Amino acid sequence: MAEVRARIDFKVGVTSSIDAELLSFHGLKTDKEHVAVIFRSADKTQDIPLVRMHSECLTGDVFHSSRCDCGEQLDETIRIMGETGGVILYLRQEGRGIGLYNKIDAYRLQSEGMNTYEANNHLGFGDDLRDFTEAAEMLRALGTTKIRLLTNNPKKINELRSFGIEIEEVVKTSAHIKSGNESYLKAKVSHGKHNLDI
């Protein structure tokens, strides 16, 4: 059973400094070092936290790659939760679970005309190898089994529900369209059934 391993207070944000708490865990199914970032709400009546499961994306989160919308989604989440409170489950599942080096190989195939799913399939991987079991374990370790989920991805909704997490509301993120990622977003909608307004 997963338990909170350590907690530290820290500041987070790109354009502003927001108070948050960073938590590590032990007892998770794999040895991946997932973390939770807790944003406290001034409104103590918010018993059902807003939660985002954000899969690590080095190219998007750190370098704001033109190929995806991950960094912008993370920035949007931090801004929203800085105002309203919430929990980011930052999951070490780079490239929808295929890893960083394989994702770079998939980028090369995308440059040759494949979409993001076709590239993963060409490399011998499924559409999405992410497993959200540990996200549910992290929520339980936080004493949370009822949430509002910030996502456009039906896979996240369905998996969390299958692990016994009650989703009171699904809140969509914005569509972060920029030069270089429109075909990526269209593939997420057509192939991954993401609820995005493009």
Side-chain angles (χ1 to χ4, degrees):
M1 187 168 89
E3 296 178 343
V4 174
R5 179 176 176 270
R7 297 174 181 257
I8 62 160
D9 293 327
F10 76 134
K11 302 275 189 185
V12 65
V14 175
T15 58
S16 59
S17 190
I18 301 166
D19 290 327
E21 189 178 18
L22 182 67
L23 282 69
S24 61
F25 297 83
H26 60 75
L28 295 172
K29 185 174 79 168
T30 69
D31 60 354
K32 292 181 179 171
E33 295 181 322
H34 306 308
V35 296
V37 181
I38 312 290
F39 299 85
R40 299 293 176 203
S41 171
D43 181 1
K44 301 302 182 191
T45 64
Q46 285 194 356
D47 293 332
I48 304 174
L50 181 64
V51 172
R52 174 161 176 79
M53 297 186 297
H54 188 91
S55 295
E56 176 181 44
C57 176
L58 176 71
T59 51
D61 298 344
V62 177
F63 301 116
H64 282 78
S65 164
S66 64
R67 291 178 176 264
C68 68
D69 60 343
C70 303
E72 288 80 11
Q73 284 189 334
L74 184 58
D75 292 345
E76 177 186 20
T77 301
I78 290 169
R79 180 185 55 75
I80 291 169
M81 292 186 180
E83 296 169 359
T84 67
V87 179
I88 297 174
L89 302 179
Y90 195 83
L91 306 171
R92 310 301 296 275
Q93 302 189 110
E94 183 80 45
R96 290 197 307 275
I98 68 173
L100 179 59
Y101 283 8
N102 288 319
K103 184 173 84 170
I104 292 169
D105 291 339
Y107 273 1
R108 179 182 49 78
L109 293 170
Q110 289 170 51
S111 297
E112 296 170 3
M114 294 185 188
N115 72 36
T116 179
Y117 298 98
E118 291 168 342
N120 281 20
N121 296 160
H122 185 81
L123 292 170
F125 300 108
D127 289 348
D128 191 338
L129 301 184
R130 291 176 294 178
D131 179 352
F132 297 108
T133 308
E134 291 177 319
E137 291 175 2
M138 292 163 74
L139 288 171
R140 286 196 191 89
L142 297 174
T144 302
T145 55
K146 186 184 218 181
I147 64 171
R148 294 179 301 127
L149 186 62
L150 183 61
T151 190
N152 304 317
N153 187 344
K155 175 182 170 75
K156 293 180 178 181
I157 298 165
N158 295 334
E159 285 205 17
L160 274 188
R161 283 183 172 148
S162 75
F163 299 135
I165 302 299
E166 185 178 344
I167 299 173
E168 175 92 352
E169 178 186 11
V170 176
V171 180
K172 289 170 49 176
T173 66
S174 302
H176 299 282
I177 303 169
K178 58 188 175 181
S179 176
N181 79 350
E182 192 166 353
S183 62
Y184 167 80
L185 295 177
K186 285 179 177 176
K188 282 172 73 170
V189 172
S190 64
H191 194 94
K193 308 304 180 195
H194 288 229
N195 187 11
L196 270 171
D197 299 320
I198 301 178

